[in-house]
């Protein structure tokens, strides 16, 4: 999703407004037509932080713009999270092991600083407070938790 931030201006200039909006970064249209979206960071070309990209897929507001580029293509939080989790795992043929918190899977997940999904969807801002890999804490922002 972060590529649309840079491409909105250039696509419009190169393709014209109508053509660019009819064929660029059509995330919602793909989902509506039963495609599976698999998002990733594309680091080091784009920011490695998936929380920022989730925001991008929901808001679609390029730098210097006041409104979303192709607002009808904005995703809801649920669709953005799915694209970064189970759908991305499926695209890598790893959905049997990762991509959701389910019995028998590795239990890789993060704890965010927000109090609820509603707050995250509204603010679309959060920090990672802890990271768990295979169910074990691998990172914590809190010093007292680092010894666990």
């Amino acid at each position: 999703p972060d590529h649309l931030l840079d491409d909105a201006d250039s696509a419009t200039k190169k393709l014209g407004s109508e053509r660019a909006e009819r064929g660029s970064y059509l995330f919602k249209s793909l989902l509506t037509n039963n495609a599976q979206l698999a998002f990733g960071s594309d680091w080091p070309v784009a920011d490695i932080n998936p929380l920022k990209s989730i925001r991008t897929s929901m808001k679609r507001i390029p730098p210097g713009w006041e409104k979303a580029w192709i607002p009808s293509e904005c995703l809801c939080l649920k669709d953005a999270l799915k694209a970064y989790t189970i759908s991305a795992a499926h695209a890598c043929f790893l959905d049997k092991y990762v991509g959701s918190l389910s019995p028998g899977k590795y239990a890789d997940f993060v704890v965010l600083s927000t109090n609820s999904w509603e707050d995250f969807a509204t603010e679309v801002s959060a920090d990672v407070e802890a990271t768990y890999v295979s169910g074990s804490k691998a990172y914590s922002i809190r010093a007292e938790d680092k010894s666990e």
Side-chain angles (χ1 to χ4, degrees), residues 11-13 15-24 26 69-70:
T12 301
K13 288 176 188 170
L15 302 173
S17 242
E18 184 180 327
R19 186 173 170 209
E21 290 182 16
R22 203 175 56 238
S24 302
L26 304 180
W69 183 44
I70 321 172

Side-chain angles (χ1 to χ4, degrees), residues 112-117 119-120:
L112 300 177
S113 59
T114 186
N115 290 324
S116 70
W117 286 117
D119 288 348
F120 182 81

Side-chain angles (χ1 to χ4, degrees), residues 48-146:
I48 196 169
N49 184 353
L51 299 176
K52 181 179 175 286
S53 295
I54 289 169
R55 177 183 193 275
T56 298
S57 68
M58 293 171 63
K59 303 296 182 185
R60 298 179 61 101
I61 303 173
W65 290 41
E66 292 184 22
K67 295 188 267 180
W69 183 44
I70 321 172
S72 60
E73 296 298 327
C74 291
L75 295 181
C76 65
L77 176 63
K78 179 182 174 186
D79 289 339
L81 287 173
K82 186 175 177 184
Y84 266 103
T85 56
I86 193 64
S87 293
H90 179 77
C92 297
F93 305 101
L94 294 172
D95 48 322
K96 181 178 177 182
Y97 308 103
V98 297
S100 66
L101 293 176
S102 306
K105 291 189 177 184
Y106 290 142
D108 298 341
F109 63 95
V110 296
V111 177
L112 300 177
S113 59
T114 186
N115 290 324
S116 70
W117 286 117
E118 290 80 22
D119 288 348
F120 182 81
T122 304
E123 300 297 321
V124 198
S125 176
D127 294 312
V128 174
E129 291 194 347
T131 302
Y132 288 77
V133 178
S134 295
S136 298
K137 189 180 291 184
Y139 165 80
S140 177
I141 198 166
R142 297 182 188 148
E144 66 272 8
D145 290 348
K146 291 184 181 181

Side-chain angles (χ1 to χ4, degrees), residues 5-47:
L5 299 175
D6 296 326
D7 293 350
D9 285 323
S10 61
T12 301
K13 288 176 188 170
K14 292 177 182 178
L15 302 173
S17 242
E18 184 180 327
R19 186 173 170 209
E21 290 182 16
R22 203 175 56 238
S24 302
Y25 300 95
L26 304 180
F27 303 142
K28 188 73 167 178
S29 293
L30 287 166
L31 287 176
T32 299
N33 287 285
N34 298 316
Q36 214 173 43
L37 288 179
F39 287 163
S41 71
D42 199 21
W43 183 84
V45 178
D47 194 325

